[in-house]
Amino acid sequence: VFIYPSMEPRHIHYSPVEAMVVGTPVLYRKGTLTDLLAGRADLPGACATTEEMRGKAKRLIAGDRALAEAIRAAQGRIVDAFSTDLARRQWAAVLD
C-alpha cells in the first residue's frame, strides 16, 4: 500500500502515480488534485478522513486482496491523465 496523505488541491507528486503504474494500491485524500484526476468519483482508494485512510491501510497490510484489487482496478482513471496519447491529443488540439 502507498499512503498519499497530501491535502494539496492543485498539486500532485509523481510518486503516487508511479506507484499506481506498477500496481501498488494507493490511498489518497478526497478533495485533492488526485481526487480531481479521478473525476471526484467515489473510488476505493479515496479517503475522506485520516481514520478512513488508516482503516483501509490496515486492511491492506492485513492482506485484504479484494480491497487491493478494487483499488488497482480503479486507479487507471488517474494514471490515464498522464498518458502520452492524451498529451499528444491535447497538443494537437492546440496546434491544429
Side-chain angles (χ1 to χ4, degrees):
V1 60
F2 186 104
I3 299 170
Y4 187 56
S6 172
M7 292 298 295
E8 284 291 328
R10 293 176 292 280
H11 178 77
I12 186 172
H13 293 89
Y14 288 124
S15 50
V17 178
E18 292 168 337
M20 291 176 188
V21 167
V22 298
T24 303
V26 176
L27 301 176
Y28 60 90
R29 293 296 300 263
K30 290 182 180 179
T32 63
L33 182 56
T34 311
D35 189 37
L36 178 64
L37 293 172
R40 301 256 189 251
D42 191 22
L43 301 183
C47 301
T49 65
T50 300
E51 292 76 23
E52 181 181 7
M53 188 174 276
R54 181 182 301 115
K56 287 181 180 181
K58 286 183 176 184
R59 286 174 55 193
L60 291 165
I61 291 168
D64 187 333
R65 290 181 185 261
L67 178 58
E69 289 306 315
I71 292 172
R72 283 187 194 104
Q75 292 179 154
R77 296 177 74 159
I78 298 166
V79 173
D80 288 348
F82 297 91
S83 77
T84 304
D85 290 336
L86 175 60
R88 283 188 183 116
R89 288 193 310 272
Q90 290 170 329
W91 277 104
V94 171
L95 298 174
D96 284 343

